[in-house]
């Protein structure tokens, strides 16, 4: 079962490879006035979760897409994602 908040999604969605290999480490670079490169490293809070439909499965209805767009536009809101036997709080 795949469920996001109260929205039930198709069971044949899968996690993409970027989600599975994500480390949480990110970097940003800036150049100083004298030309030196400064690298900032940090860990991101949270973890991206991307569900992917295959070419012949995992199709969403128009109502599901509309519900996802409304959820994505909600400010300061988290949802419970149930994916198989894993439970995550997502934004």
């Amino acid at each position: 079962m795949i469920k996001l908040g109260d929205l039930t999604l198709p069971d044949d969605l899968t996690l993409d490879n970027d989600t599975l290999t994500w480390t949480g480490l990110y970097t940003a670079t800036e150049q100083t006035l004298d030309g030196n490169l400064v690298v900032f490293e940090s860990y991101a809070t949270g973890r991206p979760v991307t569900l992917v439909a295959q070419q012949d499965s995992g199709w969403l209805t128009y109502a599901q897409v509309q519900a996802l767009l409304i959820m994505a536009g909600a400010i300061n809101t988290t949802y419970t994602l149930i994916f198989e036997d894993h439970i995550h709080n997502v934004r």
Side-chain angles (χ1 to χ4, degrees), residues 37-90:
L37 186 65
V38 178
V39 178
F40 300 95
E41 292 183 337
S42 184
Y43 282 99
T45 57
R47 173 186 185 137
V49 176
T50 304
L51 297 173
V52 179
Q54 303 305 315
Q55 185 173 3
D56 57 350
S57 64
W59 291 86
L60 299 177
T61 66
Y62 182 74
Q64 288 171 318
V65 171
Q66 292 293 58
L68 287 171
L69 290 172
I70 291 169
M71 294 168 87
I75 297 172
N76 295 326
T77 305
T78 59
Y79 301 97
T80 300
L81 172 66
I82 301 171
F83 183 82
E84 296 173 351
D85 58 347
H86 303 283
I87 298 174
H88 305 278
N89 288 323
V90 298

Side-chain angles (χ1 to χ4, degrees), residues 1-68:
M1 176 174 74
I2 303 174
K3 193 169 183 179
L4 180 61
D6 293 330
L7 180 63
T8 301
L9 299 170
D11 286 332
D12 46 5
L13 294 173
T14 60
L15 292 174
D16 76 342
N17 287 338
D18 289 339
T19 299
L20 298 174
T21 60
W22 185 75
T23 64
L25 179 66
Y26 69 93
T27 61
T29 59
E30 291 186 19
Q31 195 166 14
T32 64
L33 293 176
D34 61 358
N36 291 320
L37 186 65
V38 178
V39 178
F40 300 95
E41 292 183 337
S42 184
Y43 282 99
T45 57
R47 173 186 185 137
V49 176
T50 304
L51 297 173
V52 179
Q54 303 305 315
Q55 185 173 3
D56 57 350
S57 64
W59 291 86
L60 299 177
T61 66
Y62 182 74
Q64 288 171 318
V65 171
Q66 292 293 58
L68 287 171

